[in-house]
Structure formats: C-alpha cells, structure tokens
Amino acid sequence: WFFKITDYADQLLNDLETIDWPEPIKLMQKNWIGKSEGAEIEFKVVSNQESVIRVYTTRPDTLYGVTYLVLSPEHTLVKSIVIPEQKKAVEDYVIATSKKNDLERMSEGKEKTGVFTGANAIHPLTGKEVPIWIADYVLGTYGTVAVMAVPAHDERDFEFATKYKDDLEIKRVIFSSQRYRMLDQKTSQSYVISKVSDIDSNDNEDDELPYLGAGILVDSEEFNDQHSEDAMWKIAEKAGGVKKVNYKMRDWLISRQRYWGAPIPIVYDPAGQAHPVKAEHLPLLLPTDVDYLPKGTSPIGTSKSYQALAEELYGKGWHFEVDTMDTLVCSSWYYLRYCDPKNATQFADPEKLAKWLPVDLYVGGAEHAVLHLLYARFFHKALQDFGFIPQVVGREPFAALRNQGMILGEDNQKMSKSRGNVINPDDVVKQYGSDTLRLYEMFIGPFADVKPWSTSSIKGVHRFLEKVERLQPKVGGAELDAETERLLHQTLKLVSEHIVGFQFNTAISQMMILTNRLHELETVPTTVFQQLLLVLSPFAPHLTAELWSLGGYSGNVWEQTWPKYDATKLQMDTVTIVVQVNGKRRGQLTVPNNSSEQVVLEQIQKDAKLQAQLGGQTIRKTVYVSNRLISFVL
C-alpha cells in the first residue's frame, strides 16, 4: 500500500533542473536525497585476510593516492582488528563518539579526531600496507561505514591527515593538465609528501592541496600520463572493484504517536501479524472517544469504539494500528484533491486535474522549503505512475516557489508563549479590522525578509485606510490635473508590476502617495477614485468592497477589469535640473522635460542669480546630463 522513494530518486533529482526555484532550495533537496556512481573496492586486513573492508568511492581514479583507511567507530570489524596496545584508546574513543549525534559529528568546522587501530590493510593495487584508523566523521549509518582516504584529493581526508601528519602520508596522483605540462614528466618521479610543510605552491593554484579536480595521473603505474576521467573505471576494474550506484536518503518518519493525522490502514490478528485493511473498509476514520492524557499508548489506543470496530469487521482479538500517519502524508497530495473535492467516485476528475495543474505558485515558510516540497514531488510522480494524474499535467506539482519571511515579536525574537511576545491576530482584528492586519503584514517589509512586529506602525496603516474612506465625500469631480493624472498612471504601473514581483510593501507605499495627493484636491474625479479602489482591493478587500457599493458603482469591486496604465501619461511636463559650478551646487532650474542643452543654456542666461555664479568667467567645459544636471568648469 506504500511505495519506495528509491524508485523515484533519479526523477526527483533530475527534474529539479527544470524547476523555477531558488538554487539554495535545489541544493537543500539534493542534500536530502542524492545519487552517485562509483565503485566498491575491497581492502584485506593484514592480520586476517579473511576480514575484508569494503569502501565505496566516486573517485576510483585516485585509488593510487590512498594512504590510509578510516572506519566508523560503529564498524563491526573494529573490535576484531584492534591490536592490544591500542585497545584502551579505541574503546575510549568509541564510547566518546556514542555520546554525539550525527549532526555534531558532521558539522562543518569541527576539528577532525580519530584513533589508530594498530592494524593495517593491503592496498589492492600496490600490495603495500596502509594503516586503519577510526574517526567519528565516518557515520555508522551511511554507505559501507568505511572510507579510503586520499588526503591529496579530498578536503576532509586532507584535514585529517594534516592533523596527524607525523603518522599519515599525503600522496598526490593527479595534476591539472596545464600544470602537468610544466612538470618534469618522468614517470619515476615521486609526488609523496610526508609533511604539509613540504608542499611548495610556487604561487600556482594547481599546486595547492587538496586538488579536487580531474587531470593527468602520476604515480599510478601503467596509468601514468593518462587523463583521470579516461582511466577511472580501468583502475577500478584492476582493483577488482564493482561498479555501483549509491543513493543517499534521509530517513522519512511516517508513524506518529498522536491523534491528529490519518489512521494507518493496518489491522493486526490475535497473533500480532499485520494485514492491510480491506478496501471495502476504507476510509478508516479517526474515532472521537479518545483520551489525550498519557496512558502508555497513542491516543487512539484508548478508544473503545475503535477496538470494537476492528473486532466487528475482522473477528475477536483483532485490533487496528493505533499510531497515525505524519500529517506530511496528507499534505503531500491535498492540492490534487482541491481540484475536485466533492468527487465521491474518483480520486479526482482527470479533466479537472488537467485544467488546474500544475500549481502556478507555491508560497510557504522556509520550514517547508525542503521536506514538504520533496515529499509532494515524490507523491506527485508516484500517483501519476499509478494512473491518478493525467500525463499532460507533467511530472512536477509546482511551477514556482516563494518563501515568506518570519514575523518576529516586538522584541526582535521569534514569537513564542514562553517569551510572552506572541501577537494574537484575533485581538488585532478586533481592534483594527482584518483589512488593517492584512495590509500591515504586507507593508511591514520585503516579503522574504524576517521582520519585527510593531504595534505603533500598524496604527499608521490603519490611518491610511481611514484616509481612503474619507475620500468618499469628495468624489464627483470630472476634471483631472496633469500632476494627479501622472501620479495615477505611475501608481497603476507600479502596483501591477510589484504585485507580480511580491513587492507588496512598495505597492502600498505608492498607493499612500496617491491617496495623499487626492486629499489635496477639492474634488476627486470618480474614475480616479474607482481605479484607486481597484488596485487597493487585493490588499484591503472589505473596505474597498464597501466603498464601491456606497459609491453606487455597477457590480462588485472584485468583478471589475484590472485597470491599465497609459505609458504616455507617465512623463512629467517639466523637470528640475541641478546647476553646478566647479563641482559645487549653485542652484537649480525648471525646464521642459527632455530639453536640449541649448535650451537649458538659454534659460540660464535669463536667470540673474545663476549668471552671478558664473561671474563672467570663461567656461572651459560644460557637462549636461539630460533631465538631471548641468555642470560648468570655469
């Protein structure tokens, strides 16, 4: 009844490239589910060659650069291979590691630590012995729980080998193609570096270690002088490696011990064996007779009606699973059902799904940026393969993504009951109305930014809505002066563009400017007031609907066509330009818009104050920037 996310790993990763999401979001999803192609290589333990350490690597081309192995402290071989002299140190390290979680062990910037087991392994290509260490940066839950360390070509291994430089070797086996041509190309040349201080950069980035790129192989026997990408799989084959695809996935918890969430459709027989609930018994609904107090079971486990239903349907001693699914299960596909919510015979009508999907825009908090999006993408692909979603919809559920910023308390801290800084929206609505709350949340700052709440600022937004309301008695004039007409069309243009760009705060600011201008007029032309209400209506739907109705205008405000601006009305008839003399501002001049330099000079000649600034001196140079300034060098 459920499906494996591994079946869709390739699609989840590959289809990310076609989505209009921010790059950090894509990278975060790739950190939760990843895929790599590599080889599994075996290293035999010297003391007991029946013991084999398997490592997985995506860079078999660096195999000749392996100078040690690192096992996870949880590796099953640790106890059997450690020599007596190192047993106490290894045991203490394993105990210390067990007290750390994976995040602490893998966090960036954490100093690498480890312990030598005293054992060695045989390099599968050179036959030489390499030391076996344990370190907490290798997790016991991922991959083969062992890594082959190539410190010259891996940042983590290089950091570890640098710390234990007296015991570990750094051997370079790849140079960039450009740098290789500059070196002595004798194949017998050794690039073994015993100490980090031996690294001579010669001011060339290609010499700096670790070198992570591809290039020409050295110290790699018959593969010398070959390109690493060409020789990669040949080296793996010689080492007896097996080519593998490795998937990296974080655990996904489905079962929760709580009441809310969908019941898990599993029923247990008297012997405790699990069975899927029969199709004719679905949907399995949550019981209502539950006790939320701790009882040593999930809340549903306290329901007598739930137990009685199981025995009625399946027999004496049978019982339902009492845990519920995590709510992410339902929230991963609800958008599909929204397209046809009352359909009693189908998941959803394919024609309606094809009409409405994919979702044009997904808006949510940053906490949804990875998991909810990942789960929804997974469900979408799987449900489409099962025939519930038409192929014409496509393989991705959401076309674009926007994350809104968090609103903090007035103390600039995250709102929480413990801090006592929570703002109750109901209280704000009761005092100021829902339009004010809605408008303030958009006006408080850029959409994606984290912003503090301000009770004093919300009063300013409320006063703006009151000013719009007070325009109503002044409406009725038909004449429209040039300045107001220009400001109106500037407002129509900016609000339209900024709504699309999620720049709601600046759209509101522009409407405030227009409202202030209209209050300066004795009468407000009806068409101007109507257009103000139209652009304001998505922000303050209740007030604008009421004012539209009070004005006796036809229909409802939300049924009207969105107003369009006239580009020819955006330009000002006159502009003010600055006059500079020897780099200092000496005055300003009002001239017709887009005036030529000659027209500006003629105006200056007529201005006595500006002429006095020039003082009859010789003008060596004149710089004119249209509609902005004119500068004289005397």
Side-chain angles (χ1 to χ4, degrees):
W1 62 276
F2 204 65
F3 28 81
K4 295 186 298 181
I5 198 169
T6 49
D7 295 339
Y8 294 91
D10 287 340
Q11 296 177 38
L12 288 166
L13 289 168
N14 295 337
D15 292 350
L16 273 178
E17 306 308 321
T18 65
I19 305 177
D20 182 23
W21 292 354
E23 285 304 317
I25 302 299
K26 296 182 181 182
L27 289 175
M28 290 168 74
Q29 289 213 358
K30 288 179 180 179
N31 284 335
W32 274 83
I33 176 169
K35 171 193 173 184
S36 61
E37 288 188 355
E40 192 169 277
I41 312 291
E42 291 186 353
F43 289 75
K44 293 182 179 180
V45 179
V46 173
S47 57
N48 180 3
Q49 295 197 21
E50 292 183 1
S51 297
V52 174
I53 296 173
R54 293 182 177 85
V55 300
Y56 174 81
T57 177
T58 59
R59 293 291 306 271
D61 53 323
T62 64
L63 198 54
Y64 282 96
V66 174
T67 57
Y68 62 98
L69 299 182
V70 184
L71 307 184
S72 162
E74 297 86 357
H75 198 291
T76 55
L77 286 180
V78 171
K79 290 183 179 180
S80 63
I81 67 173
V82 63
I83 64 174
E85 294 83 353
Q86 290 294 106
K87 186 174 181 180
K88 178 67 167 59
V90 168
E91 287 178 347
D92 290 346
Y93 189 80
V94 170
I95 292 172
T97 300
S98 67
K99 298 177 182 178
K100 302 177 184 178
N101 58 39
D102 287 357
L103 185 60
E104 292 171 327
R105 290 168 63 171
M106 295 297 291
S107 60
E108 288 189 21
K110 183 186 79 66
E111 184 180 9
K112 299 290 184 291
T113 61
V115 176
F116 180 40
T117 64
N120 294 291
I122 300 173
H123 195 294
L125 291 174
T126 67
K128 295 180 180 179
E129 294 185 9
V130 293
I132 304 172
W133 287 59
I134 64 171
D136 61 2
Y137 72 81
V138 180
L139 301 181
T141 56
Y142 178 67
T144 60
V145 295
V147 299
M148 63 178 214
V150 190
H153 303 288
D154 181 272
E155 290 176 317
R156 190 173 54 176
D157 298 338
F158 181 77
E159 185 180 341
F160 190 84
T162 301
K163 179 174 181 179
Y164 299 101
K165 58 187 176 183
D166 293 334
D167 303 303
L168 298 174
E169 191 177 63
I170 299 175
K171 180 181 178 182
R172 181 166 191 163
V173 293
I174 299 177
F175 281 96
S176 74
S177 302
Q178 181 180 2
R179 182 58 180 161
Y180 180 73
R181 287 194 293 270
M182 300 168 62
L183 297 172
D184 179 4
Q185 298 184 23
K186 294 178 181 179
T187 56
S188 62
Q189 182 178 357
S190 175
Y191 295 94
V192 175
I193 303 168
S194 299
K195 297 180 180 179
V196 178
S197 59
D198 291 342
I199 301 172
D200 181 13
S201 68
N202 292 324
D203 298 321
N204 191 304
E205 291 184 3
D206 289 335
D207 282 333
E208 295 179 359
L209 293 183
Y211 176 72
L212 307 180
I216 306 301
L217 290 164
V218 297
D219 274 353
S220 299
E221 298 182 344
E222 70 265 32
F223 303 103
N224 283 341
D225 307 327
Q226 295 184 32
H227 197 279
S228 58
E229 292 180 348
D230 296 333
M232 181 181 297
W233 301 114
K234 298 175 186 176
I235 294 175
E237 184 179 358
K238 182 182 178 182
V242 178
K243 196 171 184 178
K244 292 187 68 174
V245 174
N246 193 37
Y247 289 98
K248 177 188 74 174
M249 286 168 289
R250 301 283 185 92
D251 288 338
W252 182 359
L253 182 65
I254 294 296
S255 176
R256 292 291 176 94
Q257 292 73 45
R258 60 190 185 194
Y259 176 70
W260 56 93
I264 298 175
I266 293 293
V267 63
Y268 298 91
D269 61 28
Q273 296 296 313
H275 306 268
V277 170
K278 295 179 181 178
E280 59 265 31
H281 298 152
L282 296 175
L284 189 61
L285 304 178
L286 287 169
T288 56
D289 58 330
V290 297
D291 189 346
Y292 300 103
L293 296 176
K295 298 289 184 181
T297 179
S298 298
I300 298 180
T302 66
S303 170
K304 294 181 180 179
S305 66
Y306 208 53
Q307 177 61 44
L309 177 63
E311 294 192 340
E312 177 187 336
L313 296 177
Y314 295 96
K316 188 69 176 176
W318 287 67
H319 66 278
F320 291 122
E321 171 61 58
V322 296
D323 287 356
T324 59
M325 294 188 206
D326 187 279
T327 48
L328 65 88
V329 175
C330 295
S331 64
S332 293
W333 61 267
Y334 68 90
Y335 64 94
L336 298 165
R337 183 66 179 175
Y338 275 176
C339 298
D340 193 12
K342 297 181 180 180
N343 195 324
T345 61
Q346 292 175 290
F347 174 77
D349 185 336
E351 292 187 3
K352 292 184 178 180
L353 292 175
K355 175 183 177 181
W356 289 105
L357 297 174
V359 176
D360 296 299
L361 181 64
Y362 179 112
V363 180
E367 68 274 11
H368 293 155
V370 181
L371 296 186
H372 185 262
L373 288 173
L374 180 62
Y375 300 150
R377 296 179 62 228
F378 167 50
F379 266 75
H380 185 95
K381 296 175 192 299
L383 290 174
Q384 189 175 66
D385 288 348
F386 293 158
F388 291 102
I389 304 173
Q391 293 297 320
V392 68
V393 170
R395 296 297 282 175
E396 289 293 334
F398 314 117
L401 166 72
R402 289 278 189 161
N403 290 133
Q404 80 266 22
M406 182 184 299
I407 296 181
L408 306 176
E410 291 197 86
D411 56 359
N412 277 288
Q413 300 293 318
K414 183 177 180 180
M415 290 189 190
S416 69
K417 292 180 181 177
S418 61
R419 292 193 180 97
N421 62 350
V422 174
I423 302 295
N424 187 338
D426 294 339
D427 296 338
V428 178
V429 171
K430 186 176 181 180
Q431 183 175 1
Y432 295 107
S434 58
D435 278 357
T436 297
L437 173 63
R438 177 185 177 93
L439 199 70
Y440 176 66
E441 287 187 322
M442 289 184 277
F443 182 66
I444 193 171
F447 183 78
D449 287 4
V450 176
K451 306 164 282 282
W453 182 272
S454 172
T455 300
S456 58
S457 296
I458 197 172
K459 294 178 182 178
V461 171
H462 188 65
R463 286 195 294 269
F464 161 62
L465 292 178
E466 289 178 329
K467 290 184 75 171
V468 173
E469 186 177 24
R470 291 200 304 271
L471 287 174
Q472 179 82 39
K474 300 176 66 174
V475 175
E479 293 294 327
L480 184 61
D481 63 278
E483 182 181 348
T484 304
E485 184 178 45
R486 176 183 56 79
L487 185 57
L488 169 65
H489 287 278
Q490 285 181 343
T491 301
L492 298 180
K493 180 179 187 295
L494 187 142
V495 173
S496 300
E497 293 174 350
H498 285 207
I499 285 178
V500 175
F502 276 63
Q503 298 167 279
F504 304 126
N505 57 324
T506 51
I508 295 169
S509 296
Q510 184 65 28
M511 288 185 281
M512 290 178 171
I513 294 171
L514 176 62
T515 301
N516 289 338
R517 170 60 185 171
L518 295 181
H519 268 282
E520 296 173 1
L521 306 178
E522 291 186 10
T523 58
V524 177
T526 302
T527 57
V528 177
F529 186 64
Q530 286 178 326
Q531 290 179 87
L532 173 61
L533 294 182
L534 289 175
V535 294
L536 180 60
S537 62
F539 300 84
H542 303 90
L543 175 64
T544 52
E546 181 179 358
L547 293 177
W548 190 272
S549 176
L550 290 174
Y553 312 133
S554 62
N556 296 298
V557 68
W558 60 85
E559 296 172 329
Q560 309 307 309
T561 301
W562 188 258
K564 295 181 179 180
Y565 69 90
D566 185 344
T568 63
K569 302 295 177 67
L570 297 176
Q571 298 292 332
M572 299 176 64
D573 292 334
T574 60
V575 294
T576 300
I577 66 170
V578 174
V579 179
Q580 289 184 344
V581 178
N582 288 340
K584 294 183 179 181
R585 178 180 177 134
R586 295 303 184 186
Q588 62 185 37
L589 197 67
T590 300
V591 297
N593 189 29
N594 295 323
S595 293
S596 67
E597 180 178 343
Q598 183 60 38
V599 170
V600 174
L601 291 173
E602 290 174 358
Q603 292 279 24
I604 291 175
Q605 289 175 358
K606 300 176 182 178
D607 191 306
K609 290 183 178 180
L610 292 177
Q611 282 296 312
Q613 293 295 332
L614 297 177
Q617 299 182 58
T618 302
I619 299 175
R620 293 178 176 235
K621 185 178 180 181
T622 302
V623 177
Y624 176 59
V625 180
S626 180
N627 291 340
R628 293 183 60 187
L629 71 88
I630 188 166
S631 178
F632 299 103
V633 178
L634 305 183

